[in-house]
Amino acid sequence: ESHAISFAYLVYASAWLKRYYPAAFTAALLRNQPMGFYAPHSLINDARRHGVVVLGMDVNASDALATLEPAPEGTEGPAIRPGLASVRNLSSQKAERIAAGRPYRDLEDFASRTGLPADALEALATAGAFGCFGLSRRAALWAAGLAASVREGQLPGTVTGLDPGGPGSAPPLPAMTPAEETLADLWATGTYAVHPVAHVRPWLAARQVLTASSVASAAADAQVTVAGLVTHRQRPSTAHGVVFISLEDETGLVNVICTPQVWARHRRVAAAAPALVIQGRVERTGGAVNLVATALHLLRVTAAAPSRDFR
C-alpha cells in the first residue's frame, strides 16, 4: 500500500506539472536523459502539440542542457531551448565549455576558442547551431572542416574560406528542403522540428490514412488505417503473445494491439520497420482508445529514430 500511495503521488504531481507548466516539465525531463519510457523526440513532439515553443540549437543561446527562454512575440509561456550536450560528437564537458565561452563573434572565433575537432563542428553545423553567424546549414558544413584547423592565438583572418563571400568561401548553395532538415536534425540531435510523417501526409491523406488524433475520435469498431513512426514495441510475458506497438505521427500517438496471429503473419515488417501503415479496428474501453491491428505494412519516411523495444 505504501508503494502504491508513493507511486500515485508521483503520478499526480507529474501530471499537475505537465498540465500547468508544460515547458518546465519537458525541459526537466530533457535535462535528465537518458531516462524513462519516452525518447527526447517524443517528449519534444508532445510539448509542441500542447502549445510549447521549442527553439533551435544555437551556440550563442543554447546552454549545455535544456533551458527555458522567453517565448517569441505572439506566443505564450516560456520556450524550450535544447541543450548542446544532445548534439552528436559533443560530450557534456565540450558542451559546458561552449556555453561558458558565449558569446562568439563568428565561426572562426568559435573554433579558435573551443578547439573542437572537425566531427563536432560538422555536427553543430548539421544541427543549424551556427545560424546565429548568418550561416545556413550547408554553408556551415562547407566551412566546418576549415574551421577545425583554427587554434587559439592564431592570427585572425588567416584561414581562407571562413569569411562569407570571401575567397574560398561556400558558393551559393540551395537551402535544405524541409525533409532534408528533418534528416539533418535527427542525425545531429536525435530530435526534429518537423515530424517525418508530416512530409508524407499529402500522400497518406490521398489514401484515406487517418492521423493519430482522428483515430482518437473515431467510433468504436470503425475500420481505419493509420500511419506513423514506431516508438515502442512491447511483448509482456503475461500478455500471451500479444504485442503492443506505439505509433506516433505529427498529431499524437496511437496504441496498437497485435494479436499473435496478426504478428506472426506480418512479423518480418512489424518487428523491424521504423515506420508502419496499420489497418485495424478501433477499440474503446473505459476511455482508452486502441487500434486492434489486422494488417501492417512498411511506411517509407525520410528518417526515423530507433524504437524502444521491450520483451
Side-chain angles (χ1 to χ4, degrees):
E1 289 180 1
S2 62
H3 176 83
I5 292 171
S6 298
F7 186 75
Y9 177 77
L10 289 172
V11 170
Y12 179 87
S14 297
W16 189 90
L17 286 169
K18 186 177 187 297
R19 169 64 180 83
Y20 293 103
Y21 300 93
F25 178 77
T26 304
L29 293 179
L30 293 174
R31 290 174 67 90
N32 287 278
Q33 294 296 318
M35 63 162 287
F37 188 75
Y38 292 103
H41 63 84
S42 290
L43 297 172
I44 289 175
N45 290 334
D46 179 73
R48 283 197 175 103
R49 290 193 294 269
H50 287 83
V52 176
V53 175
V54 182
L55 303 171
M57 205 69 68
D58 186 323
V59 294
N60 269 338
S62 297
D63 210 330
L65 299 176
T67 54
L68 298 180
E69 293 184 14
E73 187 175 351
T75 58
E76 297 182 1
I80 298 173
R81 178 78 70 174
L84 293 166
S86 63
V87 175
R88 180 187 289 258
N89 301 326
L90 274 187
S91 64
S92 297
Q93 293 77 12
K94 290 176 181 176
E96 290 168 0
R97 189 194 318 161
I98 293 170
R102 297 175 298 177
Y104 301 96
R105 295 188 307 274
D106 51 29
L107 180 56
E108 183 175 5
D109 178 49
F110 177 85
S112 171
R113 292 201 281 128
T114 60
L116 293 177
D119 62 348
L121 292 174
E122 288 171 352
L124 286 166
T126 303
F130 296 135
C132 54
F133 302 142
L135 295 171
S136 68
R137 299 194 198 210
R138 284 202 168 108
L141 275 167
W142 178 285
L146 297 171
S149 65
V150 177
R151 289 295 175 262
E152 193 167 11
Q154 187 171 333
L155 188 64
T158 56
V159 177
T160 302
L162 293 184
D163 181 22
S169 64
L173 297 170
M176 287 186 179
T177 66
E180 287 171 337
E181 286 195 357
T182 294
L183 180 59
D185 285 338
L186 184 59
W187 179 87
T189 68
T191 63
Y192 26 74
V194 180
H195 199 283
V197 175
H199 299 304
V200 295
R201 178 57 59 192
W203 184 88
L204 294 170
R207 288 155 181 79
Q208 299 183 320
V209 178
L210 300 184
T211 63
S213 60
S214 296
V215 172
S217 59
D221 297 323
Q223 297 292 325
V224 303
T225 304
V226 68
L229 305 186
V230 178
T231 63
H232 302 84
R233 294 177 177 89
Q234 302 177 80
R235 187 166 59 185
S237 58
T238 56
H240 307 292
V242 173
V243 178
F244 302 92
I245 295 176
S246 294
L247 207 64
E248 179 192 72
D249 68 8
E250 70 275 29
T251 70
L253 288 159
V254 177
N255 298 316
V256 180
I257 299 172
C258 293
T259 63
Q261 296 79 11
V262 170
W263 182 261
R265 190 161 63 247
H266 300 278
R267 180 184 179 87
R268 179 171 297 181
V269 64
L276 292 167
V277 176
I278 301 180
Q279 298 166 291
R281 175 180 58 83
V282 175
E283 177 186 80
R284 307 184 74 90
T285 306
V289 179
N290 301 308
L291 184 68
V292 181
T294 55
L296 298 91
H297 309 280
L298 174 67
L299 173 66
R300 298 190 183 279
V301 292
T302 302
S307 62
R308 294 185 171 184
D309 300 336
F310 304 93
R311 296 185 180 277

